Amino acid sequence: LMIARHSAESMLGMVNEILDVSRLQVGQMPVRFEALDMRMMIDRVLKLALPLALEKQLNLTTLMDRDLPFAHGDYDLVERTLQNLVGNAVKYSPVGGDVTIQACEDKAAQVLVVQVTDAGPGIAPEIMPHMFELFVTGQGRGKGSGIGLFFCRLAVEAQGGRIWAENAPDGGAILSFSLPVER
């Protein structure tokens, strides 16, 4: 019964994500801007990811500016973006690996930047230019549906931000996004 319930919830989540992608693509998803406490949001998302991280014996680390300003964005869209990025980092990191979430202000650009770094295999060069396109997935075990990062791109861009990916010099992937600073 628990497996059936989990499967049903997972399928419902995927259907809702597809519907939200569609709404974002045609500009029909309402974006409710407010001041966002990114420190609190990151802590909340990490608590949700903790059970799987503990199961994989991952080290979850946060690095945030002491005087981190509020971001200007939609709470639900930013939280879902963070959940997706952190969930992917946990999924792709090997047992005993590190997942780091950083948040800092880029004062020159007047944006808040969030980076999620994993200890996984990194991003294949042929995938990198297409990371945030619909149905693009990696080739490894446990690959996703190809919807999550596309949703993240649409959500971040709908809030006036941008999202990008790169490989870390010592292995793993770094997925980053920026949002305007609340004024």
Side-chain angles (χ1 to χ4, degrees):
L1 189 58
M2 275 180 34
I3 292 170
R5 180 180 176 183
H6 176 73
S7 294
E9 287 173 352
S10 180
M11 191 60 73
L12 180 61
M14 191 178 300
V15 168
N16 284 332
E17 193 165 58
I18 291 168
L19 291 171
D20 287 345
V21 161
S22 179
R23 286 185 203 113
L24 282 166
Q25 280 183 298
V26 296
Q28 292 184 345
M29 183 162 203
V31 180
R32 296 174 189 92
F33 288 97
E34 61 183 293
L36 304 175
D37 182 345
M38 197 60 67
R39 184 182 305 277
M40 187 235 7
M41 292 182 81
I42 290 170
D43 287 344
R44 178 178 156 83
V45 168
L46 286 178
K47 284 180 185 157
L48 294 172
L50 192 58
L52 185 55
L54 288 173
E55 186 178 306
K56 291 184 74 176
Q57 301 170 18
L58 298 176
N59 301 308
L60 298 178
T61 306
T62 57
L63 302 169
M64 292 185 248
D65 283 354
R66 198 177 286 263
D67 57 344
L68 194 66
F70 282 17
H72 182 71
D74 181 290
Y75 185 92
D76 291 332
L77 292 177
V78 174
E79 183 176 60
R80 287 173 58 193
T81 298
L82 278 168
Q83 286 173 347
N84 199 308
L85 298 181
V86 170
N88 283 349
V90 168
K91 177 170 44 172
Y92 289 110
S93 290
V95 172
D98 297 312
V99 173
T100 304
I101 299 90
Q102 293 180 267
C104 63
E105 180 182 10
D106 179 339
K107 291 183 182 191
Q110 297 183 332
V111 295
L112 191 140
V113 177
V114 177
Q115 292 185 319
V116 180
T117 305
D118 67 39
I123 303 162
E126 63 273 9
I127 300 288
M128 184 69 77
H130 308 286
M131 284 282 303
F132 299 101
E133 294 175 11
L134 187 59
F135 301 129
V136 172
T137 63
Q139 302 303 316
R141 220 178 104 229
K143 66 180 184 174
S145 65
I147 298 170
L149 291 179
F150 182 65
F151 167 83
C152 291
R153 180 176 63 89
L154 293 176
V156 168
E157 289 175 354
Q159 298 171 81
R162 73 179 192 95
I163 189 165
W164 65 97
E166 58 194 307
N167 283 316
D170 54 348
I174 305 169
L175 278 81
S176 307
F177 69 92
S178 66
L179 292 172
V181 170
E182 178 72 16
R183 295 173 202 205

